[in-house]
Amino acid sequence: MPDPMTLQEESDHFSPYRTDGKLYGFVCVVTGANMPVGAAIVTELAAHGAACIYACTAFDQPSSLQSDLSKLYPNTQVISYPYSISSEQDTLVLIDEALNAWGRLDVWVCSSGLLGPPSIDQTTPQDLQKCFEANSLAPFFALKYAPHAMQKTTSKGNYLNAAPKDQRYGSIIVVTSTASTYGGCWGPCFTMSCHAALGVVRSGVAVLKGTGVRINAISPGQIDVGVSLNEFGTKSTLMGYNTQLPPAALQSPTAQKSNIGLERAGTPAEVGRVAGFLASGFSSYITGANMVVDGGASVMSPLMVPI
């Protein structure tokens, strides 16, 4: 049987140089779509021709992405999908629904991160469990179950932006944080669970050998996700249960200019662009990587954010 990675270069249906989009025809899942980074990733995938994106949100946190993006990218079907990241059953049901409706699954993005409390004194075992569920259990479920679906091929479907899938292909993307490689970004359970998320990616390389499926991490640094400390008082009271990354406002503009190579916080869209790269054939020889998106902060300073 030919090497699936060689086939990727030979198949016109997976060429990143397609004029109709580097992700044309892809069926994708993005968790945490109600958060700024997840929403930016959904937008990026739609902009490059994906046929369908399951924009997964918590049951009590609906997203307006479906209506917003249908106007911008009418050929991409964005499906608002209530989904529990800690539920194995929800993961299996979602995969079955995708295969039954589209006959394929190509991209799975875990962008459902959680900060948790900023100090160990405020951290309970329940807090730690919630962070591990959001930051590392969800990627584990993706690694365990999504590759089997990603290896299925199919003829061209009867829907907008449809394309045949004539080879085994898949990309699992885990959005974590620069806390995946060092401590001090936030509280202990954020650092612990982000390290575990990167562990899922590293262990996934051997798991996925011979499948044609890749797995990579994105570790954002300071990203302006629209959370202001003024809304919560001080950082000691910002518990972060509905926040994916530490507020960029933890560092003043002057401190950002001093400590970040690009002298500013990043934007969710800049994380989304990296996810689009990892989802496409442009990254066909990249697996097990940790793409650090921090403007050079981790090179400039041993700690991204002083606690």
Side-chain angles (χ1 to χ4, degrees), residues 70-127:
S70 64
K71 301 170 186 175
L72 290 173
Y73 310 107
N75 288 351
T76 296
Q77 185 166 347
V78 177
I79 300 173
S80 233
Y81 193 91
Y83 171 75
S84 172
I85 55 175
S86 62
S87 170
E88 187 174 28
Q89 183 62 28
D90 276 13
T91 303
L92 292 170
V93 169
L94 173 53
I95 290 172
D96 282 345
E97 287 190 16
L99 289 178
N100 289 335
W102 310 94
R104 61 187 289 176
L105 179 63
D106 304 285
V107 177
W108 190 293
V109 183
C110 293
S111 183
S112 48
L114 195 64
L115 274 180
S119 73
I120 197 164
D121 293 335
Q122 296 170 303
T123 302
T124 66
Q126 291 75 24
D127 294 324

Side-chain angles (χ1 to χ4, degrees), residues 22-23 26 28-31 36-46 48 50 106-111 169-176 214-220 244 267-283 286 291-293:
K22 65 184 179 184
L23 303 176
F26 282 23
C28 312
V29 170
V30 179
T31 70
V37 171
I41 292 171
V42 173
T43 303
E44 180 73 12
L45 301 183
H48 291 283
D106 304 285
V107 177
W108 190 293
V109 183
C110 293
S111 183
Y169 177 89
S171 177
I172 298 171
I173 302 164
V174 178
V175 181
T176 175
R214 300 176 292 111
I215 184 168
N216 293 286
I218 301 176
S219 288
Q244 182 177 10
T267 66
E270 289 174 311
V271 181
R273 291 168 189 164
V274 179
F277 164 73
L278 290 174
S280 76
F282 280 124
S283 57
I286 298 177
M291 309 291 284
V292 177
V293 185

Side-chain angles (χ1 to χ4, degrees), residues 4 19 31 35 47 49 52 77 80 93 103 149 173 184 188 195 244 257 299 305:
T19 56
T31 70
M35 298 180 178
C52 171
Q77 185 166 347
S80 233
V93 169
I173 302 164
H195 272 66
Q244 182 177 10
K257 190 169 184 178
V299 178
V305 178

Side-chain angles (χ1 to χ4, degrees), residues 174 176-178 180-181 198 201-202 216-219 288-292:
V174 178
T176 175
S177 159
T178 46
S180 64
T181 57
L198 186 57
V201 172
R202 301 293 199 220
N216 293 286
I218 301 176
S219 288
N290 183 22
M291 309 291 284
V292 177

Side-chain angles (χ1 to χ4, degrees), residues 202-220:
R202 301 293 199 220
S203 64
V205 175
V207 171
L208 296 173
K209 281 189 70 175
T211 65
V213 179
R214 300 176 292 111
I215 184 168
N216 293 286
I218 301 176
S219 288

